[in-house]
Amino acid sequence: MNKILIVDASASDSRVMSSLLSRAGYDPVCAESIEAGKQEAVELPPGAVIVTALRLYDGTARELIDWLKTEGYKFPVIVVMDLLNPADLLEVMSGGGAVDVIQRPAIDKQLVETVGKYARPEHIVLTLDNQLIPRISEAWKKVEARIDAIAATNANAIIFGECGTGKEQIARQIYQRSSREQKPITVVESGSAAFIGVHSPSSDRSEMYNRIKSYFSKSAGGTIIIKNVHLLSIDKQSVLMHILENEHPDVRVICTAEPELLKMVANKSFRPNLFFILRQSDIAVPALKDDTEDIPVIADYFLKRYAAKTGKQRKRLDASAVKALKLYPWPGNLRELKDVVLFAAFHAKDETISAEDINFNLSEPETVDELNRKNPRQEKENIIKAYQRADSWTGAAKLLGISERALLELRKKLGIDKNGQPLP
């Protein structure tokens, strides 16, 4: 909800304005002087509006407006005037001054409507927090069962899944459901500067060793989550391997990784001995495109959170929107679904979101499936899977990103019948 700064020396009028704005879904904050108003203005988020009295004991609305312009703030300012005196109007509104004025005796009639003209929509940010997002598919039920099974042990684990599938949330759930939950947790990103290390002059160890070792010391008895472990360089892998194999720290290690880690182990760009120490157990997180029955449930979850954060009525997906969401391949998985759904909720004119309100991202990296079309056997499997998901050749063509005519030619070439079955 938008912040509205009220700068007025009248405590009673400030209370009235705050009450009116709160009921209208705004978040008012009050200041009783120009100086206090300046301090509050510095903290205002984008989309805010300032409502100020024409005169206060330490200055005027024009002084506040000029200060805002000097400091580079472009919040719209609405001035409350006792009387609409032409001279005062000219002074406060000329030269890019106040955007509007309201009369003090008509606050109850004019305030909310006037603020509504200038309050820009607030950008709502929802993040994937540490809780599991509800899903209903059988594949997800197996994931939850696996979480409980691993949490009951002290085994290290790797969570495999595509980008944006919620791997870190699963890793945290293992920690939270385990006996180690009473001990510290450390989360570190393999591809960040966190693994570079800080040199200690009193130590004869490498900077990298000191940094990685410090994570284990800090998490003694608890858990370390290493995000995107496939991004570890060979040097960092060697240090981690040394600590785990020779020092045996009392720390459970849970890693997240994209499926390419398995190929890296095969071609020795990731040390196999380290891999098997880290992968004492594992979980494979299904991609969103493989569990389309979860999509409406997850989308509705995001819509509920959006409504709670904005204070607006919850929006719902109609059948056309659900179908459109199910047909999209979701290379960004949950993270991308969240962004698409929130964008639709923000821009939909009605309380029901239809397919026309949904805008999918136009620029996408080439997927493994697309690259594998060069392999005829893999290409054939991809086409059959696309047909099974879409339940029509029109939908399958959309999923594959090709025309229906091109898909028909491929079916003939690869031997796939109209029912999506391989020809004998």
Side-chain angles (χ1 to χ4, degrees):
M1 57 184 71
N2 295 86
K3 280 273 189 184
I4 309 297
L5 171 59
I6 300 169
V7 185
D8 199 310
S10 170
S12 59
D13 281 356
S14 290
R15 283 195 297 270
V16 170
M17 287 189 277
S18 291
S19 177
L20 290 168
L21 292 168
S22 294
R23 289 202 300 270
Y26 297 105
D27 183 13
V29 57
C30 297
E32 60 182 14
S33 66
I34 294 294
E35 193 58 39
K38 292 178 181 178
Q39 295 175 19
E40 293 290 348
V42 174
E43 304 297 326
L44 289 177
V49 173
I50 298 175
V51 178
T52 179
L54 177 64
R55 294 185 178 83
L56 291 97
Y57 71 87
D58 63 341
T60 66
R62 185 74 223 193
E63 290 176 36
L64 175 59
I65 292 167
D66 290 343
W67 177 85
L68 289 168
K69 290 170 66 175
T70 300
E71 296 297 318
Y73 297 111
K74 297 181 181 180
F75 300 115
V77 178
I78 299 168
V79 175
V80 180
M81 302 179 66
D82 296 319
L83 297 171
L84 297 182
N85 181 293
D88 289 338
L89 278 172
L90 180 63
E91 178 187 351
V92 80
M93 299 189 74
S94 63
V99 296
D100 216 328
V101 297
I102 57 177
Q103 299 179 72
R104 191 173 292 275
I107 283 175
D108 59 333
K109 299 179 179 65
Q110 297 179 347
L111 178 65
V112 173
E113 181 180 353
T114 306
V115 166
K117 294 178 184 177
Y118 304 102
R120 293 186 179 180
E122 182 186 19
H123 177 58
I124 301 299
V125 177
L126 293 182
T127 57
L128 299 179
D129 56 25
N130 297 331
Q131 301 303 311
L132 294 180
I133 295 174
R135 299 172 70 165
I136 60 173
S137 65
E138 288 301 317
W140 184 252
K141 291 176 183 176
K142 291 178 182 178
V143 168
E144 293 211 76
R146 191 75 175 145
I147 291 171
D148 287 331
I150 295 174
T153 73
N154 283 317
N156 296 333
I158 300 180
I159 317 299
F160 290 96
E162 294 179 2
C163 171
T165 49
K167 298 185 292 295
E168 183 181 346
Q169 285 73 25
I170 291 173
R172 286 180 178 273
Q173 282 297 307
I174 293 174
Y175 163 73
Q176 291 173 10
R177 300 182 192 186
S178 74
S179 60
R180 291 180 177 267
E181 192 267 339
Q182 297 174 333
K183 292 287 189 173
I185 182 174
T186 300
V187 181
V188 62
E189 165 62 58
S190 299
S192 73
F195 265 125
I196 293 175
V198 177
H199 180 61
S200 171
S202 62
S203 173
D204 58 359
R205 299 281 194 176
S206 71
E207 297 176 18
M208 190 185 299
Y209 173 89
N210 289 337
R211 174 59 67 89
I212 296 176
K213 177 65 176 179
S214 72
Y215 295 139
F216 283 90
S217 300
K218 186 167 62 173
S219 306
T223 300
I224 290 178
I225 295 177
I226 302 178
K227 297 168 59 178
N228 298 310
V229 71
H230 56 285
L231 297 180
L232 286 179
S233 66
I234 287 292
D235 288 345
K236 294 172 185 176
Q237 292 175 37
S238 298
V239 171
L240 183 59
M241 178 70 193
H242 172 84
I243 292 173
L244 292 172
E245 195 170 45
N246 297 297
E247 302 182 18
H248 307 291
D250 180 21
V251 177
R252 187 220 286 269
V253 182
I254 304 175
C255 301
T256 71
E258 294 188 12
E260 68 185 78
L261 176 62
L262 298 173
K263 294 180 181 178
M264 294 174 66
V265 173
N267 64 28
K268 304 296 176 62
S269 59
F270 194 95
R271 296 185 57 166
N273 48 357
L274 174 60
F275 172 78
F276 289 110
I277 288 177
L278 296 174
R279 198 217 61 182
Q280 294 172 344
S281 54
D282 63 16
I283 295 177
V285 187
L288 205 52
K289 67 178 183 292
D290 296 326
D291 283 316
T292 56
E293 64 265 48
D294 285 333
I295 290 174
V297 178
I298 298 169
D300 190 58
Y301 168 81
F302 289 135
L303 290 173
K304 285 180 183 176
R305 290 189 58 193
Y306 176 83
K309 189 158 187 176
T310 60
K312 297 179 180 178
Q313 184 176 346
R314 175 179 154 200
K315 297 188 177 183
R316 299 181 183 275
L317 302 168
D318 70 9
S320 69
V322 170
K323 183 177 181 180
L325 293 176
K326 285 187 173 183
L327 284 174
Y328 185 69
W330 299 112
N333 289 287
L334 300 182
R335 190 178 292 113
E336 186 179 13
L337 175 61
K338 171 180 68 70
D339 293 337
V340 168
V341 168
L342 294 189
F343 190 89
F346 182 86
H347 289 282
K349 296 178 181 178
D350 301 320
E351 296 307 313
T352 300
I353 298 172
S354 70
E356 293 181 355
D357 299 312
I358 295 174
N359 290 280
F360 296 109
N361 298 313
L362 300 177
S363 56
E364 296 292 358
E366 201 170 21
T367 66
V368 173
D369 282 352
E370 289 166 341
L371 295 172
N372 280 338
R373 287 204 200 108
K374 297 169 185 175
N375 179 325
R377 189 177 61 138
Q378 186 64 54
E379 186 175 23
K380 187 173 184 176
E381 291 178 4
N382 289 340
I383 290 172
I384 292 172
K385 285 180 182 177
Y387 175 75
Q388 291 171 344
R389 282 183 55 206
D391 200 29
S392 72
W393 288 115
T394 300
K398 289 181 180 179
L399 287 177
L400 295 166
I402 59 177
S403 68
E404 289 187 61
R405 177 174 292 184
L407 180 55
L408 179 59
E409 292 300 318
L410 281 172
R411 283 172 49 203
K412 291 177 181 178
K413 175 184 172 183
L414 298 171
I416 303 172
D417 69 18
K418 65 179 182 180
N419 298 314
Q421 297 297 321
L423 292 171

